[in-house]
Amino acid sequence: MELQSLESRDANREATIRRIRSSARAIRMHALNMVFEARQGHPGGDMSVTDILATLYFGVLRVDPKAPHESGRDRLILSKGHASGALYSTLAEAGFIPIEALSTYMKPLSMLNGHPNRNNVAGVEANTGPLGHGLPIAVGIALAGKIDNADYRVFVITGDGELQEGSNWEAAMASGHHKLANLTLIVDRNTLQQGARVSETNDVEPLADKFRAFRWDVVDVDGHDPGALLDAFAPSADRTKPLCVIAHTIKGKGVSYMEDQVGWHHGVPTQAQLDKAMGELSGS
Amino acid sequence: MSATQPTSPALFDCRDAFAATLDQVAERDNRIVIVVNDSIGSSKLGGFRKRWPQRTINVGIAEQNMVGVGSGLANGGKIPFVSAASCFLTARALEQIKADVAYTNANVKLVGQSPGVGYGELGPTHHSIEDMAWLRLLPNLAIIAPSDPWETAQAVEAAAEHEGPVFLRITRFGVPKLPRPDNARFEIGKAETLREGRDVAIIACGVMVTRALEAADRLADGGVNAQVVNMASIAPLDEAAIRAAADLGAIVTVEEHSRRGGLGGAVAEVVAGYRPCPIRILGFPGFMPTGSPKFLFERFGLTSNGIEKAAREAISLRLL
């Protein structure tokens, strides 16, 4: 009996991981097409955060695209709002918005602004764009959940360069103080920011030590491994602190010529580059 | 105030009306929570904290986080009153107010305590004479500067009921309770004509409303008939009331705020597109020198005397 149930759990997990991988492939392709058609966007960050988003939406979050404002839902805030191409693609794959809407990305009067607006796009929790806003908002939601004894969880994704914004550390301090065990921060640790390496600009290391000093639990994971991400995001009843998941990622992941290249923070592929990317991604 | 001083009216600290009303609202609506930056005492929220410790969130001295937390609490179904000295709340956290509150259209109530020159001698870092100007630029955000304890209480009720972001400007000065009919009711977006007149309109908000009424009395003694409008709702603006004032051909605006971009600016924007007339804008000219609030009010003409003088100037400039 026990063996069987373990086997079926493993089978479920394998199915979930396959679903995450296939969704991630679709999300990357959508996002690149969107950037190509809009002639602007942030493809490098879209690619680095995709596996995190796919793991959350297809393996972790308790959300319902038919009831996106249901009060007991889990929340995900993409604080690095410039990776909107990946977020919108994920929301479309998850059924929150129509797939066809993606082709309107950043076109006049589109609901899909360059940065997300929760009043226009179902599933968006916060109007991010200026960096350092997502974590404070997530702290507020986590506090509301704590006041209500609700069992929803709050997830927030920041960039690593984004952690140079001081507001994050105000919020990190408050999270530790309030022991927000219902809060998970995921740092998309791709080591690049807009203009250069994070380490060359204003180094955030030692990152894990910083969060531990702010009274968080910290885990390091491969941010492109759905299984490792699922393990890191697994709920834990005995958690007493907020959790920081440092997800080690590659900016531009999945597109050979974009990977770890600072120039693809914002950059628009040519037709030939797009074709090459699609070829690589479809085989992934 | 007492039998021995029959001529001086009792003065009230509007923070008391704010705190007492918030208590009443919180009693019947458990979604109400407060968020403060170590500003429990200066917001007079000690009683609230004592009654509802779980609904009191003190983020410490961290205004950006404070406003973001407010937005998150609203996302979680709460009605947060984010209360802090107006200078820090509105300046330090302006981007959070713009993005997390106004643009998000979050149901957050921002409470700017001790605005204007309430902190007198502490100087320009602690004065908040810019708050209405920069907040007035933000869509979705209602801005209310109550004139007295009655209106403060009404505004707190209205803010709690209003679905959407609100900024309340709560003064720490002692102000008298203004005379009003029993059926008076504050409404967001509605001006209140406290005195009818035909020669000049005095449009005031906050603590200046009392002085505007005193100025109208003095003008009446000299045969000038002044209308007095309490424009407690800076946004949304009662444009009909402003057009009616412009029809009189001369306007004085008066606010405990910079002369630029606040109530006077708002009135001028409406009047310029309707029926231009002379507008004397009374307020503070820039960073204030050292002085008590009373000294600063007198030095910069924010007195019944100063308003009277400005009204006569506006009348003399009337385009007829």
Side-chain angles (χ1 to χ4, degrees):
Chain A
M1 282 288 282
E2 205 169 68
L3 251 177
Q4 243 175 4
S5 82
L6 274 178
E7 272 171 17
S8 89
R9 206 171 59 192
D10 285 351
N12 282 343
R13 180 181 160 90
E14 286 312 310
T16 299
I17 289 174
R18 277 197 303 277
R19 174 90 198 276
I20 292 167
R21 287 194 196 283
S22 67
S23 299
R25 186 182 312 123
I27 291 163
R28 286 195 166 89
M29 292 168 91
H30 289 315
L32 282 181
N33 274 316
M34 289 159 69
V35 170
F36 179 75
E37 287 183 34
R39 312 307 301 158
Q40 56 184 323
H42 295 85
D46 286 340
M47 299 303 110
S48 77
V49 80
T50 291
D51 298 305
I52 298 165
L53 285 170
T55 302
L56 286 168
Y57 277 88
F58 299 101
V60 179
L61 295 176
R62 295 167 302 169
V63 289
D64 179 358
K66 291 186 209 72
H69 301 297
E70 198 277 316
S71 61
R73 70 192 183 279
D74 287 342
R75 269 79 163 177
L76 177 278
I77 293 174
L78 181 70
S79 190
K80 44 173 285 183
H82 55 277
S84 58
L87 179 64
Y88 296 149
S89 300
T90 305
L91 291 173
E93 283 294 316
F96 285 87
I97 58 174
I99 296 273
E100 308 83 69
L102 297 177
S103 62
T104 70
Y105 184 51
M106 288 203 258
K107 301 218 169 112
L109 304 181
S110 171
M111 69 174 182
L112 303 182
N113 197 291
H115 296 91
N117 180 345
R118 77 185 304 254
N119 297 304
N120 292 344
V121 186
V124 169
E125 294 289 354
N127 295 13
T128 52
L131 297 174
H133 285 239
L135 186 56
I137 296 170
V139 170
I141 304 174
L143 284 165
K146 207 173 164 186
I147 292 168
D148 288 340
N149 254 328
D151 70 349
Y152 62 74
R153 300 174 70 194
V154 186
F155 295 85
V156 54
I157 304 171
T158 67
D160 49 1
E162 177 176 4
L163 294 176
Q164 292 158 354
E165 289 281 7
S167 51
N168 290 304
W169 300 101
E170 293 183 4
M173 197 184 293
S175 309
H177 175 82
H178 287 283
K179 303 183 173 66
L180 297 178
N182 53 353
L183 174 65
T184 300
L185 163 67
I186 303 134
V187 180
D188 180 3
R189 183 79 174 105
N190 62 32
T191 74
L192 286 170
Q193 55 191 97
Q194 176 175 293
R197 291 261 164 229
V198 174
S199 60
E200 294 162 358
T201 308
N202 189 8
D203 199 357
V204 297
E205 290 295 343
L207 193 53
D209 289 347
K210 283 190 175 73
F211 277 98
R212 287 195 184 101
F214 280 71
R215 295 194 255 166
W216 289 57
D217 288 331
V218 181
V219 294
D220 281 87
V221 297
D222 176 348
H224 299 303
D225 178 346
L229 289 167
L230 282 174
D231 291 343
F233 300 152
S236 160
D238 50 7
R239 187 173 299 292
T240 57
K241 295 175 179 179
L243 173 65
C244 174
V245 176
I246 301 177
H248 295 274
T249 57
I250 297 168
K251 205 160 179 174
K253 170 73 177 178
V255 180
S256 57
Y257 57 86
M258 287 188 185
E259 286 193 358
D260 203 34
Q261 296 298 312
V262 71
W264 285 99
H265 175 84
H266 31 51
V268 179
T270 62
Q271 182 69 60
Q273 285 173 322
L274 182 71
D275 293 345
K276 181 170 163 58
M278 290 300 157
E280 292 175 6
L281 288 170
S282 59
S284 69
Chain B
M1 195 185 281
S2 72
T4 56
Q5 291 173 293
T7 52
S8 73
L11 298 180
F12 300 90
D13 183 334
C14 289
R15 293 177 298 173
D16 292 322
F18 158 74
T21 311
L22 191 60
D23 248 32
Q24 291 163 16
V25 176
E27 175 75 47
R28 62 173 187 258
D29 189 339
N30 66 11
R31 295 173 300 168
I32 304 276
V33 297
I34 59 169
V35 189
V36 293
N37 62 339
D38 194 19
S39 47
I40 294 269
S42 56
S43 296
K44 298 216 171 196
L45 289 170
F48 189 106
R49 176 176 59 183
K50 202 166 172 198
R51 280 188 79 180
W52 295 292
Q54 299 85 356
R55 289 159 67 180
T56 300
I57 294 149
N58 188 350
V59 298
I61 307 160
E63 290 75 23
Q64 298 181 71
N65 187 45
M66 174 176 68
V67 174
V69 163
S71 181
L73 285 160
N75 178 303
K78 302 296 172 194
I79 303 177
F81 277 70
V82 179
S83 181
S86 196
C87 54
F88 309 132
L89 169 65
T90 68
R92 186 59 158 263
L94 185 56
E95 189 182 74
Q96 280 75 15
I97 295 176
K98 173 188 168 186
D100 308 356
V101 176
Y103 180 44
T104 300
N105 206 10
N107 196 21
V108 174
K109 317 305 168 184
L110 303 166
V111 187
Q113 299 281 359
S114 307
V117 295
Y119 285 118
E121 298 89 337
L122 299 189
T125 55
H126 285 56
H127 296 162
S128 192
I129 62 172
E130 309 88 0
D131 49 10
M132 293 198 291
W134 49 49
L135 296 185
R136 204 164 67 76
L137 300 175
L138 302 177
N140 299 334
L141 179 64
I143 302 173
I144 304 167
S147 56
D148 76 347
W150 174 85
E151 196 169 37
T152 299
Q154 289 266 310
V156 171
E157 295 263 3
E161 281 168 30
H162 177 78
E163 182 69 34
V166 177
F167 174 72
L168 296 174
R169 202 173 191 250
I170 306 295
T171 185
R172 72 192 283 124
F173 297 135
V175 288
K177 188 171 184 297
L178 294 173
R180 283 190 173 92
D182 288 344
N183 62 354
R185 188 169 180 275
F186 168 80
E187 209 179 313
I188 294 174
K190 284 274 181 257
E192 177 187 32
T193 301
L194 289 169
R195 181 177 177 133
E196 299 288 352
R198 60 176 182 274
D199 297 325
V200 61
I202 304 171
I203 304 177
C205 66
V207 296
M208 299 314 299
V209 175
T210 300
R211 289 155 208 243
L213 285 168
E214 290 166 7
D217 283 342
R218 300 169 68 116
L219 286 160
D221 290 345
V224 173
N225 195 333
Q227 181 196 50
V228 176
V229 176
N230 169 25
M231 194 68 70
S233 180
I234 313 298
L237 204 54
D238 188 341
E239 298 196 5
I242 295 171
R243 288 194 294 273
D247 286 340
L248 300 182
I251 295 176
V252 175
T253 67
V254 53
E255 62 202 294
E256 185 202 357
H257 186 269
S258 170
R259 286 175 193 160
R260 295 186 295 276
L263 172 65
V267 168
E269 285 164 17
V270 174
V271 172
Y274 170 66
R275 184 167 294 173
C277 69
I279 305 173
R280 276 282 191 253
I281 296 176
L282 298 185
F284 296 115
F287 294 130
M288 296 290 98
T290 307
S292 68
K294 183 169 182 293
F295 170 84
L296 296 172
F297 277 106
E298 283 168 5
R299 176 150 178 111
F300 295 99
L302 295 180
T303 57
S304 54
N305 235 340
I307 298 167
E308 180 194 5
K309 183 163 164 277
R312 291 187 188 284
E313 287 168 1
I315 291 169
S316 74
L317 291 168
R318 188 154 49 190
L319 321 158
L320 285 177

Coordinates of all heavy atoms in Angstrom, one line a residue, chain A residues 210-265:
Chain A
K210 N 22.9 37.7 4.4 CA 22.1 38.9 4.6 C 20.7 38.5 5.1 O 20.2 39.0 6.1 CB 22.0 39.8 3.4 CG 23.2 40.6 3.0 CD 22.9 41.6 1.9 CE 24.0 42.5 1.6 NZ 25.2 41.9 0.9
F211 N 20.1 37.6 4.3 CA 18.7 37.2 4.7 C 18.7 36.5 6.0 O 17.7 36.7 6.8 CB 18.0 36.4 3.6 CG 17.5 37.3 2.5 CD1 18.1 37.6 1.3 CD2 16.2 37.9 2.7 CE1 17.6 38.4 0.4 CE2 15.7 38.8 1.7 CZ 16.4 39.0 0.6
R212 N 19.7 35.6 6.3 CA 19.7 34.9 7.5 C 19.8 36.0 8.7 O 19.2 35.8 9.7 CB 20.8 33.9 7.6 CG 20.6 32.7 6.7 CD 21.5 31.5 7.0 NE 21.1 30.5 6.1 CZ 21.9 30.2 5.0 NH1 23.0 30.9 4.7 NH2 21.5 29.2 4.1
A213 N 20.6 37.0 8.4 CA 20.8 38.0 9.5 C 19.5 38.8 9.7 O 19.2 39.3 10.8 CB 21.9 39.0 9.0
F214 N 18.6 38.8 8.7 CA 17.3 39.4 8.8 C 16.3 38.5 9.3 O 15.1 38.7 9.2 CB 16.9 40.1 7.5 CG 17.5 41.4 7.2 CD1 18.9 41.5 6.9 CD2 16.8 42.6 7.2 CE1 19.5 42.8 6.6 CE2 17.3 43.8 7.0 CZ 18.7 43.9 6.6
R215 N 16.7 37.3 9.8 CA 15.9 36.3 10.4 C 15.0 35.6 9.4 O 13.8 35.4 9.7 CB 15.1 36.9 11.6 CG 16.0 37.4 12.7 CD 15.2 37.6 13.9 NE 15.0 39.0 14.2 CZ 14.1 39.5 15.0 NH1 13.3 38.7 15.7 NH2 14.1 40.8 15.2
W216 N 15.5 35.2 8.3 CA 14.9 34.4 7.3 C 15.5 33.0 7.2 O 16.7 32.9 7.5 CB 15.0 35.0 5.9 CG 14.2 36.3 5.6 CD1 14.2 37.5 6.3 CD2 13.2 36.5 4.6 NE1 13.4 38.4 5.8 CE2 12.8 37.8 4.7 CE3 12.8 35.7 3.5 CZ2 11.8 38.3 3.8 CZ3 11.8 36.2 2.6 CH2 11.3 37.5 2.8
D217 N 14.7 32.0 6.7 CA 15.3 30.8 6.3 C 15.8 31.0 4.8 O 15.1 31.8 4.1 CB 14.3 29.6 6.3 CG 14.0 29.2 7.7 OD1 14.9 29.3 8.6 OD2 12.9 28.8 7.9
V218 N 16.8 30.4 4.4 CA 17.4 30.6 3.1 C 17.7 29.2 2.4 O 18.3 28.4 3.1 CB 18.6 31.5 3.1 CG1 19.1 31.7 1.7 CG2 18.4 32.8 3.8
V219 N 17.3 29.0 1.2 CA 17.8 27.9 0.5 C 18.3 28.3 -0.9 O 17.8 29.3 -1.5 CB 16.7 26.8 0.3 CG1 16.3 26.2 1.6 CG2 15.5 27.3 -0.5
D220 N 19.3 27.7 -1.4 CA 19.8 27.9 -2.7 C 19.4 26.8 -3.6 O 19.5 25.6 -3.3 CB 21.4 27.9 -2.7 CG 21.9 29.2 -2.2 OD1 22.1 29.3 -0.9 OD2 22.2 30.1 -3.0
V221 N 18.8 27.1 -4.8 CA 18.4 26.1 -5.7 C 18.8 26.4 -7.2 O 19.1 27.6 -7.5 CB 16.9 25.8 -5.7 CG1 16.5 25.3 -4.4 CG2 16.1 27.1 -6.1
D222 N 18.8 25.5 -8.0 CA 18.9 25.7 -9.5 C 17.6 26.2 -10.0 O 16.6 25.5 -9.9 CB 19.3 24.3 -10.1 CG 19.3 24.5 -11.7 OD1 18.9 25.5 -12.2 OD2 19.8 23.5 -12.3
G223 N 17.5 27.4 -10.4 CA 16.3 28.1 -10.8 C 15.7 27.6 -12.1 O 14.7 28.1 -12.6
H224 N 16.4 26.7 -12.7 CA 15.9 26.1 -14.0 C 15.5 24.6 -13.8 O 15.2 24.0 -14.8 CB 16.9 26.3 -15.1 CG 17.2 27.7 -15.4 ND1 16.3 28.6 -15.7 CD2 18.4 28.4 -15.4 CE1 16.8 29.8 -15.9 NE2 18.1 29.7 -15.7
D225 N 15.5 24.1 -12.6 CA 15.2 22.7 -12.3 C 13.9 22.7 -11.6 O 13.8 22.9 -10.4 CB 16.3 22.1 -11.4 CG 16.0 20.7 -11.0 OD1 14.9 20.2 -11.2 OD2 17.0 20.0 -10.6
P226 N 12.8 22.3 -12.3 CA 11.5 22.3 -11.7 C 11.4 21.4 -10.4 O 10.7 21.8 -9.5 CB 10.6 21.8 -12.8 CG 11.3 22.0 -14.1 CD 12.7 21.9 -13.7
G227 N 12.1 20.3 -10.5 CA 12.0 19.4 -9.3 C 12.6 20.1 -8.1 O 12.1 20.1 -7.0
A228 N 13.8 20.7 -8.3 CA 14.4 21.4 -7.1 C 13.6 22.6 -6.7 O 13.5 22.9 -5.4 CB 15.8 21.9 -7.6
L229 N 12.9 23.3 -7.6 CA 12.1 24.4 -7.2 C 10.9 23.9 -6.5 O 10.5 24.5 -5.4 CB 11.6 25.2 -8.5 CG 12.7 26.0 -9.1 CD1 12.3 26.5 -10.5 CD2 13.1 27.2 -8.2
L230 N 10.3 22.8 -6.9 CA 9.1 22.2 -6.2 C 9.5 21.9 -4.8 O 8.7 22.1 -3.9 CB 8.6 21.0 -7.0 CG 7.8 21.2 -8.2 CD1 7.5 19.8 -8.9 CD2 6.4 21.9 -7.9
D231 N 10.6 21.3 -4.6 CA 11.1 20.9 -3.3 C 11.2 22.2 -2.4 O 10.8 22.2 -1.3 CB 12.4 20.2 -3.3 CG 12.3 18.8 -3.9 OD1 11.1 18.3 -4.0 OD2 13.3 18.2 -4.4
A232 N 11.8 23.2 -3.0 CA 12.1 24.4 -2.3 C 10.7 25.1 -1.9 O 10.6 25.7 -0.8 CB 12.9 25.4 -3.1
F233 N 9.7 25.0 -2.7 CA 8.5 25.7 -2.5 C 7.5 24.8 -1.7 O 6.4 25.3 -1.4 CB 7.8 26.0 -3.8 CG 8.6 27.0 -4.7 CD1 8.4 27.0 -6.1 CD2 9.5 27.9 -4.1 CE1 9.2 27.8 -6.9 CE2 10.2 28.8 -4.9 CZ 10.1 28.7 -6.3
A234 N 7.9 23.6 -1.4 CA 6.9 22.7 -0.7 C 6.5 23.3 0.7 O 7.3 23.8 1.4 CB 7.6 21.3 -0.4
P235 N 5.2 23.3 0.9 CA 4.7 23.8 2.2 C 5.3 23.1 3.4 O 5.6 21.8 3.3 CB 3.2 23.7 2.1 CG 3.0 22.6 1.1 CD 4.1 22.6 0.2
S236 N 5.6 23.8 4.5 CA 6.1 23.1 5.6 C 5.4 23.7 6.9 O 5.4 24.9 7.1 CB 7.6 23.4 5.7 OG 8.1 23.2 7.0
A237 N 4.7 22.8 7.6 CA 3.9 23.2 8.7 C 4.8 23.7 9.8 O 4.3 24.5 10.7 CB 3.1 22.0 9.2
D238 N 6.0 23.3 9.9 CA 6.8 23.7 11.1 C 7.7 24.9 10.8 O 8.6 25.3 11.5 CB 7.6 22.6 11.6 CG 8.4 21.8 10.6 OD1 8.4 22.3 9.4 OD2 9.0 20.8 10.8
R239 N 7.4 25.6 9.6 CA 8.2 26.8 9.3 C 7.8 27.9 10.3 O 6.6 28.1 10.6 CB 7.9 27.2 7.9 CG 8.8 28.3 7.4 CD 8.7 28.6 5.9 NE 9.1 27.5 5.1 CZ 10.3 27.0 5.0 NH1 11.3 27.6 5.6 NH2 10.6 26.0 4.2
T240 N 8.8 28.6 10.8 CA 8.5 29.7 11.7 C 9.0 31.1 11.2 O 8.9 32.1 11.8 CB 9.1 29.5 13.1 OG1 10.5 29.3 12.9 CG2 8.5 28.2 13.7
K241 N 9.7 31.0 10.0 CA 10.3 32.2 9.5 C 9.9 32.4 8.0 O 9.5 31.4 7.4 CB 11.8 32.1 9.5 CG 12.4 32.0 10.9 CD 13.9 31.8 10.7 CE 14.6 31.7 12.0 NZ 16.1 31.4 11.8
P242 N 10.0 33.6 7.5 CA 9.9 33.7 6.0 C 11.0 33.0 5.3 O 12.1 32.8 5.9 CB 10.0 35.3 5.8 CG 10.7 35.8 7.0 CD 10.4 34.9 8.1
L243 N 10.7 32.6 4.1 CA 11.7 31.8 3.3 C 12.2 32.5 2.1 O 11.4 33.1 1.3 CB 11.0 30.5 2.8 CG 11.8 29.6 1.9 CD1 13.0 29.0 2.6 CD2 10.9 28.5 1.3
C244 N 13.5 32.6 2.0 CA 14.1 33.2 0.8 C 14.7 32.0 -0.1 O 15.5 31.3 0.4 CB 15.2 34.2 1.2 SG 16.1 34.8 -0.2
V245 N 14.2 31.9 -1.3 CA 14.7 30.9 -2.2 C 15.6 31.6 -3.2 O 15.1 32.4 -4.0 CB 13.6 30.2 -2.9 CG1 14.2 29.2 -4.0 CG2 12.7 29.5 -2.0
I246 N 16.9 31.4 -3.1 CA 17.8 32.0 -4.0 C 17.9 31.1 -5.2 O 18.5 30.0 -5.2 CB 19.2 32.3 -3.4 CG1 19.1 33.2 -2.2 CG2 20.2 32.9 -4.4 CD1 20.4 33.5 -1.5
A247 N 17.2 31.5 -6.3 CA 17.1 30.6 -7.5 C 18.2 31.0 -8.5 O 18.2 32.1 -9.1 CB 15.8 30.8 -8.1
H248 N 19.2 30.2 -8.6 CA 20.4 30.5 -9.5 C 19.9 30.2 -10.9 O 19.5 29.1 -11.3 CB 21.6 29.6 -9.1 CG 22.1 30.0 -7.7 ND1 22.9 31.0 -7.5 CD2 21.7 29.5 -6.5 CE1 23.2 31.1 -6.2 NE2 22.4 30.2 -5.5
T249 N 20.0 31.3 -11.7 CA 19.4 31.3 -13.0 C 20.5 31.8 -14.0 O 21.5 32.4 -13.6 CB 18.1 32.1 -13.1 OG1 18.4 33.4 -12.7 CG2 17.0 31.5 -12.3
I250 N 20.1 31.6 -15.3 CA 21.0 32.2 -16.4 C 20.1 33.2 -17.1 O 19.0 32.8 -17.6 CB 21.5 31.1 -17.3 CG1 22.4 30.1 -16.5 CG2 22.2 31.7 -18.5 CD1 22.7 28.8 -17.3
K251 N 20.6 34.4 -17.2 CA 19.8 35.4 -18.0 C 19.8 35.0 -19.4 O 20.8 34.6 -20.0 CB 20.4 36.8 -17.8 CG 19.4 37.9 -18.0 CD 19.9 39.2 -17.4 CE 19.0 40.3 -17.6 NZ 19.3 41.6 -16.9
G252 N 18.6 35.0 -20.0 CA 18.5 34.6 -21.4 C 18.4 33.1 -21.6 O 18.5 32.5 -22.7
K253 N 18.2 32.3 -20.5 CA 18.2 30.9 -20.5 C 17.3 30.2 -21.6 O 16.2 30.6 -21.8 CB 17.7 30.4 -19.1 CG 17.4 28.9 -19.1 CD 18.7 28.1 -19.0 CE 18.4 26.6 -18.9 NZ 19.6 25.8 -18.9
G254 N 18.0 29.3 -22.3 CA 17.2 28.6 -23.4 C 17.5 29.1 -24.8 O 17.2 28.4 -25.8
V255 N 18.1 30.3 -24.9 CA 18.4 30.8 -26.2 C 19.9 31.1 -26.2 O 20.4 31.9 -25.5 CB 17.7 32.2 -26.5 CG1 18.0 32.7 -27.8 CG2 16.2 32.0 -26.3
S256 N 20.6 30.3 -27.0 CA 22.1 30.2 -26.8 C 22.8 31.6 -26.9 O 23.6 31.9 -26.1 CB 22.7 29.3 -27.9 OG 22.3 29.7 -29.2
Y257 N 22.4 32.4 -27.9 CA 23.1 33.6 -28.0 C 22.7 34.7 -27.0 O 23.3 35.7 -26.9 CB 22.9 34.2 -29.5 CG 21.4 34.4 -29.9 CD1 20.8 35.6 -29.6 CD2 20.7 33.4 -30.5 CE1 19.4 35.8 -29.9 CE2 19.4 33.6 -30.9 CZ 18.8 34.8 -30.6 OH 17.5 34.9 -30.9
M258 N 21.6 34.4 -26.3 CA 21.2 35.4 -25.2 C 21.8 35.0 -23.8 O 21.9 35.9 -23.0 CB 19.7 35.4 -25.0 CG 18.9 36.1 -26.2 SD 17.2 36.2 -25.7 CE 16.5 36.9 -27.2
E259 N 22.2 33.8 -23.7 CA 22.5 33.3 -22.3 C 23.7 34.1 -21.7 O 24.8 34.2 -22.4 CB 22.8 31.8 -22.3 CG 21.5 31.0 -22.5 CD 21.7 29.5 -22.2 OE1 22.8 29.1 -21.9 OE2 20.6 28.8 -22.2
D260 N 23.5 34.6 -20.6 CA 24.5 35.3 -19.8 C 25.1 36.5 -20.5 O 26.2 36.9 -20.2 CB 25.6 34.3 -19.4 CG 26.3 34.8 -18.1 OD1 25.7 35.4 -17.2 OD2 27.6 34.5 -18.0
Q261 N 24.3 37.1 -21.4 CA 24.8 38.3 -22.1 C 24.0 39.5 -21.6 O 22.8 39.6 -21.7 CB 24.5 38.1 -23.6 CG 25.3 37.0 -24.3 CD 26.8 37.2 -24.2 OE1 27.3 38.2 -24.5 NE2 27.5 36.1 -23.7
V262 N 24.8 40.5 -21.1 CA 24.1 41.7 -20.5 C 23.3 42.4 -21.6 O 22.3 43.1 -21.2 CB 25.2 42.5 -19.8 CG1 26.1 43.3 -20.8 CG2 24.5 43.6 -18.9
G263 N 23.8 42.4 -22.8 CA 23.1 43.1 -23.9 C 21.6 42.7 -24.1 O 20.9 43.5 -24.7
W264 N 21.3 41.5 -23.7 CA 19.9 41.0 -23.9 C 19.0 41.3 -22.7 O 17.9 40.8 -22.6 CB 19.9 39.5 -24.2 CG 20.4 39.3 -25.6 CD1 21.6 38.9 -26.0 CD2 19.6 39.5 -26.8 NE1 21.7 38.9 -27.4 CE2 20.5 39.2 -27.9 CE3 18.3 39.9 -27.1 CZ2 20.1 39.3 -29.3 CZ3 17.9 40.0 -28.4 CH2 18.8 39.7 -29.5
H265 N 19.4 42.3 -21.8 CA 18.5 42.7 -20.8 C 17.3 43.3 -21.5 O 16.1 42.9 -21.3 CB 19.1 43.8 -19.9 CG 18.2 44.4 -18.9 ND1 17.9 43.8 -17.7 CD2 17.4 45.5 -18.9 CE1 17.0 44.5 -17.0 NE2 16.7 45.5 -17.7

